[in-house]
Amino acid sequence: MERIMHFQWYPGHMTKARRMMQENIKLIDLIIELVDARVPLSSRNPDIDELGRNKARLILLNKADLAEDTRNDEWVDFFKKKGCSAVKVNSKKGGGIKSIQSVIQEACREKTERDRRKGILNRPVRAMVVGIPNVGKSTFINALAGKACAKTGNRPGVTKGKQWIRLNKNVELLDTPGILWPKFEDQEVGLKLAFIGSIKDEILQTEELAAELVKFLNSSYPGVLEEQYDILAVGDAYECLRDIAESRHCLVRGNELDTEKAASILLDDFREGKLGRITLERPEAV
Ligand code: G4P
């Protein structure tokens, strides 16, 4: 497994991201933290708890469309029990977005009441979106703001001045999301982030990664692989990749099975939700 983990998030990136986060957090009342609904813990960075002390917190289970819905609800409960507001959303299709403005107001109620007692009225709540790369921060900001205010795609380290997006008379959103660094030192976390594609494939061993995914699916979602690829019952993970290669006619040099191609097909299918809605982490295991 060790070879899988040769991805890099240089210490310099981390220091810069942390510094930017510290600066921006001073300006806001509410942290809107996006996590990936398929891996709600592995896609978090607990450092945000420390950085965001004394701020209102809202956790969004993004990409909820790709995760099992009953699990999404369990995770929402889990985060609520920890004292955060939490909702599931699909930023890509806009699911759950409409209710966000009221959820934001609710998450900041204490702060608004405090202001009111001090005689501060009509001061909008200021919020900032944070999350690890690729979790959907830009897509969410676009969906919430209703127009292309923030560019989607990966733009590490881009900040030019501070721009606020006025969502309504009560809420303003910092247009630049805060980038959190993944907990890359934890191998299990790294593996799950690689499954969902938030760590680049070129620096990973595709077949090894796919074999790990086969093992997970076979034990947690039995029957899914057999049905999707029309193959016999899965036993050995590498045998399974060969079966997928055969079933999908992935061949090299004439008639040799191309298991590397099969591995890529499997990973892509999983990431695009073609294997169905799958959650890699469950709250009861925490
Ligand atoms: P980031 O700012 O946090 O780095 O993430 P970004 O918004 O760029 O989103 C990363 C990818 O995740 C994008 O896919 C985006 O479409 C997808 N995405 C964001 N939210 C959701 C969601 O709720 N559900 C699903 N299924 N996907 C979501 P991409 O492959 O980079 O681009 P494209 O597929 O939009 O072309």
Side-chain angles (χ1 to χ4, degrees):
M1 174 116 66
E2 205 180 307
R3 274 193 301 140
I4 299 178
M5 292 306 139
H6 282 174
F7 57 90
Q8 291 286 333
W9 178 280
Y10 298 103
H13 292 159
M14 214 175 91
T15 312
K16 194 170 166 205
R18 178 177 258 277
R19 200 171 48 231
M20 218 177 313
M21 192 77 68
Q22 269 162 340
E23 242 176 59
N24 288 338
I25 276 179
K26 284 189 214 140
L27 309 172
I28 56 144
D29 310 302
L30 171 71
I31 297 173
I32 303 177
E33 182 188 351
L34 264 71
V35 300
D36 189 303
R38 295 166 293 176
V39 280
L41 287 187
S42 293
S43 58
R44 289 195 81 208
N45 185 324
D47 287 4
I48 194 67
D49 291 337
E50 175 62 24
L51 285 164
R53 252 186 357 242
N54 308 324
K55 302 288 175 185
R57 303 283 296 277
L58 167 59
I59 294 188
L60 301 184
L61 285 169
N62 193 41
K63 309 198 185 183
D65 54 306
L66 297 174
E68 239 187 299
D69 210 36
T70 46
R71 302 289 165 217
N72 290 340
D73 292 334
E74 286 168 14
W75 279 111
V76 165
D77 286 347
F78 172 89
F79 288 120
K80 281 186 175 165
K81 283 200 189 109
K82 293 212 173 290
C84 298
S85 299
V87 276
K88 53 184 178 182
V89 290
N90 170 358
S91 298
K92 199 166 171 173
K93 291 268 163 69
I97 299 291
K98 269 204 193 113
S99 64
I100 294 289
Q101 297 214 10
S102 60
V103 175
I104 291 177
Q105 306 279 9
E106 182 57 28
C108 293
R109 209 169 41 163
E110 263 181 44
K111 156 89 186 150
T112 318
E113 306 251 298
R114 239 182 0 253
D115 279 357
R116 191 171 301 148
R117 280 198 296 277
K118 288 191 221 151
I120 306 169
L121 298 173
N122 303 326
R123 186 185 157 285
V125 164
R126 288 196 147 178
M128 167 177 156
V129 172
V130 307
I132 64 167
N134 223 30
V135 74
K137 298 178 294 297
S138 306
T139 310
F140 169 73
I141 293 175
N142 284 346
L144 188 61
K147 52 187 181 298
C149 293
K151 284 201 190 102
T152 46
N154 268 343
R155 315 167 298 154
V158 176
T159 358
K160 293 187 196 94
K162 300 260 182 288
Q163 289 272 307
W164 297 90
I165 303 167
R166 209 180 171 96
L167 295 179
N168 59 41
K169 69 178 177 26
N170 299 317
V171 186
E172 286 180 2
L173 189 68
L174 191 62
D175 83 333
T176 317
I179 299 168
L180 291 174
W181 48 99
K183 294 174 290 177
F184 48 85
E185 66 282 0
D186 181 328
Q187 298 267 307
E188 274 295 311
V189 168
L191 187 60
K192 288 177 191 161
L193 293 177
F195 286 163
I196 64 166
S198 83
I199 292 166
K200 291 234 180 318
D201 275 350
E202 307 92 75
I203 37 185
L204 298 168
Q205 305 290 321
T206 311
E207 281 182 72
E208 244 176 306
L209 184 63
E212 292 296 328
L213 183 59
V214 167
K215 286 181 207 161
F216 167 80
L217 291 170
N218 204 25
S219 70
S220 298
Y221 291 87
V224 161
L225 290 166
E226 289 86 344
E227 192 181 327
Q228 172 76 10
Y229 300 108
D230 195 16
I231 55 175
L232 293 173
V234 174
D236 175 70
Y238 287 92
E239 187 64 44
C240 172
L241 292 179
R242 279 192 291 277
D243 288 347
I244 294 174
E246 197 168 3
S247 161
R248 289 297 167 99
H249 310 293
C250 306
L251 299 171
V252 272
R253 287 183 288 275
N255 56 2
E256 241 173 77
L257 290 175
D258 188 351
T259 45
E260 174 101 21
K261 179 87 196 330
S264 298
I265 290 177
L266 170 62
L267 289 167
D268 286 348
D269 285 350
F270 167 70
R271 290 166 186 169
E272 288 164 21
K274 288 185 184 156
L275 301 178
R277 299 174 69 167
I278 287 168
T279 302
L280 299 171
E281 289 174 340
R282 301 186 170 185
E284 72 261 28
V286 178

